[in-house]
Amino acid sequence: MVSCIKFYRKKAGLTQGQLAKSMGVSLDTISRYETNKREPRVSDLRRMADILGCTPIELMMESEANPPIPRKVAKMRGSGMAAVA
């Protein structure tokens, strides 16, 4: 899932470090949330939404500008193979 955390963070005018400090988590944690290497706990998601002025659901919505890549395609891209239509 491609989340909108980065979008709402930037919209709020915060850096990753500022958001991390406000939430009481590490900068690395915020980075992992934004790159989908880690999913936020529900409590962190609620706190983040309060700070960013949106809802938890808005934070987890998929970005229309950056839709998720199907796993099969992602694997092919990673191996250097081109997708065949």
Side-chain angles (χ1 to χ4, degrees):
M1 174 190 316
V2 176
S3 71
C4 292
I5 294 170
K6 183 177 182 177
F7 171 81
Y8 283 101
R9 176 182 57 78
K10 287 190 171 217
K11 188 175 177 183
L14 298 175
T15 65
Q16 286 183 339
Q18 290 167 326
L19 179 57
K21 186 174 182 179
S22 295
M23 292 182 59
V25 297
S26 71
L27 174 71
D28 191 49
T29 296
I30 299 299
S31 177
R32 287 180 180 171
Y33 289 165
E34 289 187 1
T35 58
N36 295 307
K37 293 180 181 172
R38 179 177 177 181
E39 275 195 39
R41 288 180 262 170
V42 174
S43 60
D44 285 344
L45 198 55
R46 287 183 181 146
R47 192 169 345 142
M48 193 181 326
D50 285 342
I51 293 166
L52 299 178
C54 60
T55 67
I57 290 176
E58 287 173 315
L59 287 177
M60 298 311 294
M61 289 175 62
E62 292 178 358
S63 168
E64 290 180 21
N66 193 13
I69 300 170
R71 289 180 190 198
K72 194 172 191 177
V73 173
K75 279 185 176 181
M76 289 171 58
R77 286 184 182 175
S79 69
M81 295 175 56
V84 178

